[in-house]
């Protein structure tokens, strides 16, 4: 028989172990979160940081004032009238059957962009029909169509289900790509892994050309954003992010898309990107059904045809696994 004193002693030891392990877990999570904020090259843009990184405004006369990040008055216009725009911004939202999400996003996004004095245009790109969704391909097509309308300097790819919580999260491009959605409520406001760029991503035109945009081969949900992160890093860029407190988003509940069947195989051969992206659209069959400018967005409906299982020529492409860190 085990005495009561012995049982009590064992219980106390187990409780102490449990408390100790809990404290260790909390400490590790704290260290990882600090790492994501420090090593992720945090970029909290404000007027002071412009002293370090200055855009070239030499073509503007002294009599004209460059738009401040936070103007005192808002005129509700897509284009600021009282100052010179900092850059031309295209917001690209891939879309299908998410009207509730879209209405909520636009309700918050327009006032925020106007408060930041953005010269911007929102492009809603919708895949025609009910076939499997190809997010990367329709975003590439949207870039091409946007450049036909204006000389945009900056492109922000924005999931329709993510609502920004902090208007100090500046929607602007930089000398490195910027991952703006570092902290999402559904993920407990933590960055899941270091090379994550899904959600809201800002790339200037030069960065888009060097990475060749998104892959056109991912049919279904998953891995097109991870593929993009490897393109970014392979070109010598760093992934810049706002602080965890600034880059916060609310994810609206929605149904998940079907996963891409061969996403892992495509991701392992991501080095094909020089021939898979913006420059390969000319070899793909697609049809622009309509381009319509509405009050809140410019809507592009594109037919990219039926889904296929894309096959990679493994003999011509170097195998390279995706790096999470």
């Amino acid at each position: 028989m085990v005495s009561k004193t012995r049982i009590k002693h064992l219980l106390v030891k187990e409780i102490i172990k449990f408390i100790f392990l809990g404290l260790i877990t909390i400490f590790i999570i704290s260290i990882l979160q600090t790492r994501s904020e420090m090593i992720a090259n945090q970029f909290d843009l404000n007027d002071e940081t412009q002293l370090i990184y200055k855009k070239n405004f030499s073509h503007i006369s002294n009599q004209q004032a460059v738009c401040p990040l936070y103007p005192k008055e808002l005129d509700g216009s897509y284009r600021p009238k009282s100052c010179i725009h900092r850059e031309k911004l295209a917001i690209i939202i891939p879309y299908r059957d998410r009207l509730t999400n879209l209405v909520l996003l636009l309700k918050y996004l327009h006032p925020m962009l106007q408060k930041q004095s953005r010269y911007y245009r929102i492009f809603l790109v919708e895949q025609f029909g009910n076939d499997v969704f190809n997010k990367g391909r329709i975003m590439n097509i949207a870039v091409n169509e946007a450049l036909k309308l204006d000389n945009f300097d900056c492109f922000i790819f924005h999931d329709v289900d993510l609502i920004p919580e902090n208007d100090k999260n500046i929607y602007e491009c930089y000398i490195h790509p910027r991952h703006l959605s570092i902290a999402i409520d559904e993920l407990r406001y933590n960055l899941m892994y270091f090379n994550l760029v899904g959600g809201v991503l800002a790339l200037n035109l030069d960065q888009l050309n060097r990475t060749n945009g998104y892959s056109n081969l991912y049919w279904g949900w998953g891995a097109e954003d991870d593929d993009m992160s490897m393109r970014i890093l392979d070109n010598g860029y760093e992934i810049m992010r706002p602080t965890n407190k600034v880059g916060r988003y609310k994810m609206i509940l929605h149904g998940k898309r079907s996963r891409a069947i061969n996403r892992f195989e495509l991701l392992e051969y991501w080095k094909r990107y020089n021939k898979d992206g913006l420059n390969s659209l000319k070899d793909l069959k697609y049809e622009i059904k309509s381009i319509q400018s509405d009050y809140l967005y410019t809507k592009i409906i594109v037919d990219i045809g039926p889904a296929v299982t894309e096959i990679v020529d493994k003999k011509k492409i170097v195998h390279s696994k995706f790096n999470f860190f």
Side-chain angles (χ1 to χ4, degrees), residues 90-99 101-103 105-106 109-110 121-127 133 138-139 141-143 145-146 149 156 158-161 288 290-294 296-302:
I91 309 284
I92 294 178
I93 304 174
Y95 176 81
R96 174 185 274 177
D97 299 331
R98 298 275 183 86
L99 181 59
N101 295 11
L102 178 64
V103 170
L105 174 60
L106 295 177
L109 192 56
H110 276 292
R121 191 168 192 174
I122 294 178
F123 291 90
L124 189 70
V125 55
E126 181 175 1
Q127 182 175 325
F133 201 59
I138 65 173
M139 289 195 297
I141 292 170
V143 169
E145 297 304 316
L149 297 177
I156 294 183
H158 204 302
D159 284 358
V160 72
D161 58 351
I288 302 297
S290 66
I291 299 179
Q292 182 178 353
S293 293
D294 294 323
L296 295 177
Y297 51 77
T298 297
K299 187 174 184 179
I300 303 170
I301 299 179
V302 55

Side-chain angles (χ1 to χ4, degrees), residues 15-130:
I15 291 173
I16 292 173
K17 285 182 181 179
F18 179 78
I19 294 173
F20 180 74
L21 289 174
L23 291 174
I24 292 294
T25 302
I26 293 172
F27 177 75
I28 291 174
I29 292 174
S30 175
I31 292 295
L32 290 176
Q33 185 167 339
T34 303
R35 178 184 186 277
S36 72
E37 291 195 3
M38 295 180 64
I39 303 182
N41 303 300
Q42 298 296 346
F43 182 63
D44 190 6
L45 182 62
N46 52 49
D47 283 327
E48 283 70 32
T49 59
Q50 295 302 305
L51 298 174
I52 301 173
Y53 166 57
K54 292 185 178 180
K55 292 182 180 293
N56 184 9
F57 297 125
S58 59
H59 61 287
I60 299 173
S61 67
N62 293 330
Q63 296 178 352
Q64 296 173 305
V66 177
C67 296
L69 288 175
Y70 292 98
K72 295 181 179 179
E73 296 180 1
L74 303 176
D75 58 13
S77 175
Y78 293 99
R79 177 176 180 174
K81 299 176 181 178
S82 59
C83 52
I84 303 300
H85 57 270
R86 303 165 72 90
E87 63 186 5
K88 294 181 180 180
L89 170 61
I91 309 284
I92 294 178
I93 304 174
Y95 176 81
R96 174 185 274 177
D97 299 331
R98 298 275 183 86
L99 181 59
T100 302
N101 295 11
L102 178 64
V103 170
L104 284 172
L105 174 60
L106 295 177
K107 177 183 177 181
Y108 290 95
L109 192 56
H110 276 292
M112 188 183 85
L113 293 173
Q114 291 167 17
K115 185 175 182 180
Q116 295 180 7
S117 292
R118 301 294 89 187
Y119 178 152
Y120 70 95
R121 191 168 192 174
I122 294 178
F123 291 90
L124 189 70
V125 55
E126 181 175 1
Q127 182 175 325
F128 180 78
N130 297 313

